[in-house]
């Protein structure tokens, strides 16, 4: 019966209830959109880095990741290949030479990460081949280069133009070679597009006097979730001369960002919750003051304070739950199409691509977010009713009945 | 047997720092089955006395005993429980719960006592029939006349079989005929069920 009373009381002043409900609904929708957009953005950033270069795992000579010098080469490629081939969780792998140098055209020059790749294997590892917007990917023929759109713009080169790559060789001399641009790629990260160039592994080894040596193995697993297990397995097999790194080891910044985001979400929850609390305090206070006489009568006919307190809190809880459910339905109705088709933010594409996100954001709503919202908002609604409820039960029945 | 006994009760309010003596040394007893009216002009302290008798207000001085129990020793929750189990109230402005129907209003105090839904429904309906208000069962207070609301309020006060029903100017908001009918009803319940009534009035016709 108390629920019936609470429910009917809520609808005594429909306009006020609808205003409070709307604020709860807007709060829930704001949380859903904020959560899903932010998670979507960070995930896209993460996936893009993973797909453009990092892969699920990398194997180097120990110390390479901290100090990427060209002399630091994988000690025994055969051993690594055997380890990878005998690990069923490994889906693809590819060898790379990684160095940093200078690329120049007749007009301009730019610092770049020069990556020597196996043209037949690398497309299984990264999205560069799929990101070609002009020309084609490396064929395996000699002296071909694929560069990013930003780099092409900076060097003022197009398909068929020549550029010169320069970098330190193993002996410490400066190695250089001329390459013909066969493809221009564009990923969602403009930073990546202006700083990476891809040549064939053979050309890189030749230019840098590496012989048959390589800097790293990039690996894609059948299931990314198994990365830590596979990493330990392969690391144990290869021994101390090698470093086996997971994407988490290779992209600590993005993972830290994801963690930081989770923590900052807590603050957003508090801010939206506080806004809700004040709305609910206001509405509940008005409702309590309007019904002071009624509460006096309820106390006079024997209602205990605890029950009266519960009744007022129940009203706020019902509004909180109702608003959260409606907000969740509205939020999901907005979220589902957006998560499928993405949100086109091309007007901010300059800043978004510099963060490696892309101009279309696909929001991602996690179960954790849904559960969090379903719990947090009703709790805030109840907290908002705390003060008015305490105020009501502190009154003496006789003063409440006389309350004007 | 005394249901209520008050001894040397005083009640002083402070109106902007000025003491107002609403009750001065009142001593009285109410016995079971009495039909008692507290009469007097407006401002004479009738409502204050009823509030003290009904444990809605505490006296500044003096003692109030309900069935021998000293109310001044009771906690707020114990007093609420006493009001629920031993007292019935009828207010001048009816004071039914606006969001509940007449039947639900009568059932409400039984709900507070933890009486199962089926039993409280049957008891409330039986009482409504006895008071000739069964046709009001589904009506909300705003759909009833003042007289009808006050009869429902009497039913609400009676339904828990209280030791005493306290009514503060129950006819003040009613026309003469409706007020007389209500008094008849209360008197009938007093005679048939030996219910104790104490009510206040300033209306010479009622007195």
């Amino acid at each position: 019966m108390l629920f019936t009373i609470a429910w009917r009381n809520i609808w005594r002043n429909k306009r006020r209830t609808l205003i409070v409900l709307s604020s709860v609904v807007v709060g829930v929708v704001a949380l859903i959109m904020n959560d899903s957009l932010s998670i979507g953005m960070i995930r896209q950033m993460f996936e893009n880095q993973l797909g453009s270069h990092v892969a699920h795992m990398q194997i180097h000579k120990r110390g390479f990741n901290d100090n990427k010098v060209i002399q630091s080469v994988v000690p025994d490629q055969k051993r690594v290949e055997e380890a990878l081939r005998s690990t069923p969780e490994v889906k693809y792998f590819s060898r790379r030479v990684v160095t940093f140098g200078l690329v120049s055209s007749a007009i301009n020059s730019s610092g770049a990460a020069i990556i020597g790749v196996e043209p037949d294997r690398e497309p299984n590892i990264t999205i560069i081949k799929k990101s070609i917007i002009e020309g084609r990917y490396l064929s395996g023929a000699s002296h071909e280069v694929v560069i990013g759109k930003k780099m092409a713009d900076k060097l003022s080169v197009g398909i068929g133009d020549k550029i010169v790559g320069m970098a330190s060789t193993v002996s410490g001399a400066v190695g250089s070679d001329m390459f013909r641009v066969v493809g221009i790629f564009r990923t969602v990260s403009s930073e990546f597009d202006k700083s990476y160039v891809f040549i064939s592994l053979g050309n890189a080894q030749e230019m840098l006097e590496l012989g048959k040596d390589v800097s790293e193995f990039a690996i894609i697993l059948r299931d990314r979730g198994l990365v830590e297990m596979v990493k330990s397995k392969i690391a144990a097999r290869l021994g101390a001369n090698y470093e086996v790194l997971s994407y988490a080891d290779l992209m600590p910044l993005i993972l830290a960002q994801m963690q930081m985001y989770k923590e900052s979400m807590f603050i957003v929850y508090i801010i939206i919750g506080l806004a809700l609390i004040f709305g609910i305090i206001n509405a509940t206070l008005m409702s309590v003051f309007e019904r002071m006489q009624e509460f006096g009568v309820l106390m006079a006919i024997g209602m205990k304070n605890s029950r009266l307190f519960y009744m007022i809190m129940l009203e706020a809880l019902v509004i909180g739950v109702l608003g959260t459910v409606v907000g969740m339905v509205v939020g999901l109705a907005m979220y589902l199409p957006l998560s499928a088709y993405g949100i086109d933010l091309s007007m901010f594409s300059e800043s978004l691509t510099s963060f490696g996100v892309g101009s279309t954001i696909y929001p991602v709503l996690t179960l954790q977010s849904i559960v969090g919202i379903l719990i947090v908002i009703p709790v805030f609604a109840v907290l908002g009713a705390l003060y008015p409820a305490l105020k009501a039960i502190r009154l003496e029945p006789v003063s409440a009945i006389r309350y004007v | 047997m005394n249901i209520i006994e008050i001894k040397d009760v005083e009640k002083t309010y402070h109106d902007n720092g000025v003491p107002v003596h609403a009750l001065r040394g009142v001593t009285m007893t109410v016995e079971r089955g009495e039909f008692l009216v507290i009469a007097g002009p407006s401002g004479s302290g009738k409502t204050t006395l009823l509030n003290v008798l009904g444990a809605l207000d505490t006296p500044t001085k003096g003692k109030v005993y309900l069935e021998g129990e000293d109310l001044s020793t009771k906690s707020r929750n114990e007093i609420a429980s006493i009001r629920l189990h031993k007292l019935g109230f009828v207010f001048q402005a009816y004071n039914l719960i606006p969001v509940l129907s007449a039947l639900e209003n009568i059932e409400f105090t039984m709900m507070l006592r933890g009486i199962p839904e089926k039993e409280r429904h049957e008891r409330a309906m039986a009482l409504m029939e006895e008071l000739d208000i069964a046709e009001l069962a589904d009506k909300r207070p705003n759909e009833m006349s003042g007289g009808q609301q006050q009869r429902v309020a009497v039913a609400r006060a009676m339904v828990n079989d209280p030791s005493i029903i306290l009514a503060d100017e129950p006819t003040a908001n009613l026309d003469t005929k409706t007020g007389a009918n209500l008094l008849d009803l209360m008197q009938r319940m007093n005679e048939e069920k030996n219910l104790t009534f104490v009510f206040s009035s300033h209306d010479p016709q009622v007195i």
Side-chain angles (χ1 to χ4, degrees):
Chain A
M1 196 179 224
L2 277 186
F3 181 81
T4 308
I5 297 177
W7 178 255
R8 291 182 191 168
N9 274 330
I10 286 169
W11 298 108
R12 269 163 91 165
N13 191 329
K14 286 195 182 71
R15 194 176 355 176
R16 185 170 58 212
T17 300
L18 286 174
I19 289 170
V20 178
L21 267 180
S22 309
S23 70
V24 177
V25 169
V26 169
V28 171
V29 172
L31 277 179
I32 289 176
M33 294 321 289
N34 180 62
D35 238 15
S36 61
L37 266 173
S38 310
I39 292 174
M41 222 188 274
I42 292 174
R43 282 215 180 158
Q44 264 170 261
M45 208 192 305
F46 175 76
E47 294 294 337
N48 290 333
Q49 286 226 20
L50 213 64
S52 54
H53 183 66
V54 173
H56 294 167
M57 271 173 50
Q58 290 181 6
I59 298 172
H60 316 116
K61 184 186 178 184
R62 179 157 298 281
F64 177 82
N65 199 45
D66 291 334
N67 184 19
K68 292 187 173 76
V69 290
I70 195 63
Q71 291 82 1
S72 185
V73 294
V74 174
D76 184 349
Q77 290 180 52
K78 225 175 190 175
R79 194 168 164 202
V80 175
E81 284 197 28
E82 273 170 20
L84 294 173
R85 283 188 208 286
S86 61
T87 307
E89 293 86 0
V90 171
K91 195 173 179 188
Y92 303 114
F93 67 88
S94 175
R95 297 176 302 153
R96 291 173 178 166
V97 166
V98 177
T99 193
F100 300 90
L102 193 72
V103 286
S104 315
S105 67
I107 296 168
N108 210 344
S109 58
S110 172
I114 302 169
I115 315 293
V117 296
E118 296 178 283
D120 53 335
R121 285 178 169 189
E122 188 68 16
N124 293 324
I125 310 288
T126 66
I127 53 164
I128 301 303
K129 189 175 181 181
K130 289 179 202 150
S131 307
I132 297 284
I133 52 165
E134 275 181 67
R136 58 169 174 77
Y137 192 62
L138 301 170
S139 66
S142 192
H143 295 97
E144 290 178 345
V145 67
V146 167
I147 62 175
K149 175 74 174 133
K150 280 260 174 183
M151 173 79 84
D153 290 345
K154 189 172 180 190
L155 299 179
S156 297
V157 294
I159 301 297
D161 290 342
K162 288 175 191 167
I163 59 171
V164 173
M166 272 193 291
S168 291
T169 65
V170 175
S171 63
V174 175
S176 68
D177 215 338
M178 195 179 68
F179 301 91
R180 194 172 292 278
V181 178
V182 295
I184 295 172
F185 63 85
R186 181 160 61 200
T187 67
V188 294
S189 168
S190 56
E191 271 306 307
F192 186 83
D193 295 353
K194 74 177 176 197
S195 45
Y196 278 74
V197 301
F198 295 91
I199 58 176
S200 74
L201 187 69
N203 283 155
Q205 286 168 332
E206 195 183 323
M207 184 177 96
L208 303 168
E209 301 168 2
L210 276 168
K212 292 289 176 194
D213 285 336
V214 297
S215 318
E216 76 183 16
F217 278 75
I219 299 143
I220 291 289
L221 302 180
R222 291 180 199 285
D223 178 357
R224 193 166 83 194
L226 301 173
V227 69
E228 290 304 324
M229 183 272 283
V230 178
K231 177 184 134 179
S232 341
K233 204 159 107 179
I234 294 176
R237 190 162 166 182
L238 292 178
N241 282 341
Y242 297 82
E243 64 184 16
V244 183
L245 302 172
S246 69
Y247 60 84
D249 305 321
L250 294 158
M251 298 190 291
L253 202 64
I254 289 194
L255 290 169
Q257 238 174 323
M258 285 170 100
Q259 189 53 39
M260 200 172 74
Y261 168 71
K262 276 184 197 162
E263 284 155 20
S264 68
M265 260 322 280
F266 177 72
I267 296 166
V268 175
Y269 274 56
I270 298 277
I271 292 168
I272 292 182
L274 281 178
L276 279 183
I277 277 187
F278 284 108
I280 287 170
I281 286 178
N282 188 25
T284 316
L285 261 183
M286 275 197 280
S287 158
V288 163
F289 283 132
E290 273 173 16
R291 291 188 285 150
M292 240 7 147
Q293 274 191 324
E294 211 172 298
F295 295 147
V297 171
L298 291 174
M299 288 189 261
I301 62 177
M303 194 179 217
K304 286 187 178 159
N305 281 353
S306 52
R307 222 155 186 172
L308 181 60
F309 180 81
Y310 171 69
M311 193 180 85
I312 297 170
M313 299 302 274
L314 191 61
E315 288 177 24
L317 180 68
V318 171
I319 288 183
V321 169
L322 193 65
T324 306
V325 170
V326 174
M328 195 53 85
V329 171
V330 174
L332 287 177
M334 287 166 70
Y335 160 76
L336 289 172
L338 291 176
S339 69
Y341 301 111
I343 304 170
D344 184 6
L345 296 175
S346 39
M347 66 175 100
F348 309 114
S349 62
E350 196 65 31
S351 55
L352 285 170
T353 50
S354 61
F355 278 109
V357 177
S359 57
T360 305
I361 309 279
Y362 294 88
V364 175
L365 193 62
T366 60
L367 186 65
Q368 195 185 358
S369 299
I370 294 175
V371 173
I373 292 167
L374 285 175
I375 293 171
V376 166
I377 300 296
V379 166
F380 274 115
V382 168
L383 287 178
L386 208 56
Y387 169 67
L390 286 172
K391 202 164 172 57
I393 64 165
R394 278 188 192 142
L395 281 169
E396 288 296 326
V398 73
S399 333
I401 291 170
R402 283 202 206 113
Y403 192 89
V404 182
Chain B
M1 182 202 170
N2 290 341
I3 292 177
I4 295 183
E5 184 179 2
I6 63 173
K7 284 183 181 168
D8 296 323
V9 163
E10 289 188 11
K11 182 72 191 179
T12 306
Y13 296 107
H14 289 272
D15 188 7
N16 289 326
V18 181
V20 178
H21 300 287
L23 301 174
R24 284 181 207 244
V26 180
T27 296
M28 68 177 278
T29 56
V30 181
E31 290 187 10
R32 188 170 301 283
E34 268 195 283
F35 193 76
L36 189 77
V37 60
I38 301 169
S42 294
S44 58
K46 303 185 294 296
T47 300
T48 306
L49 181 57
L50 271 180
N51 287 341
V52 168
L53 289 174
L56 291 176
D57 209 351
T58 45
T60 315
K61 206 177 148 194
K63 294 278 184 192
V64 180
Y65 298 92
L66 180 70
E67 295 185 332
E69 285 186 281
D70 181 358
L71 294 185
S72 65
T73 61
K74 305 288 176 194
S75 68
R76 210 175 145 130
N77 263 345
E78 286 169 330
I79 295 275
S81 181
I82 286 169
R83 284 200 293 263
L84 178 64
H85 290 89
K86 296 187 174 176
L87 300 167
F89 290 92
V90 179
F91 302 94
Q92 181 179 336
Y94 332 126
N95 289 107
L96 298 176
I97 302 168
V99 293
L100 296 183
S101 67
L103 181 69
E104 288 167 336
N105 262 288
I106 297 166
E107 279 187 46
F108 186 73
T109 50
M110 287 191 279
M111 184 275 288
L112 293 178
R113 291 181 63 177
I115 294 170
E117 193 176 347
K118 189 168 177 280
E119 186 189 338
R120 64 183 192 232
H121 188 79
E122 284 168 2
R123 274 172 64 178
M125 271 318 290
L127 186 60
M128 289 188 92
E129 273 163 26
E130 199 178 342
L131 301 185
D132 295 326
I133 50 172
E135 76 281 2
L136 303 175
D138 296 327
K139 288 194 189 299
R140 296 263 183 105
N142 62 355
E143 298 166 329
M144 293 186 271
S145 69
Q148 288 173 327
Q149 286 187 62
Q150 202 59 304
R151 289 170 95 88
V152 173
V154 171
R156 178 177 68 179
M158 281 175 61
V159 76
N160 278 335
D161 297 323
S163 309
I164 185 166
I165 291 178
L166 302 161
D168 185 16
E169 307 251 13
T171 60
N173 286 5
L174 304 176
D175 61 65
T176 314
K177 192 180 165 205
T178 314
N181 285 342
L182 186 81
L183 285 175
D184 285 347
L185 171 76
M186 285 164 43
Q187 201 154 15
R188 181 158 65 88
M189 291 301 115
N190 169 253
E191 284 160 8
E192 287 176 8
K193 294 178 174 276
N194 198 32
L195 260 176
T196 313
F197 278 91
V198 177
F199 63 98
S200 64
S201 181
H202 64 274
D203 184 354
Q205 273 189 311
V206 171
I207 301 160

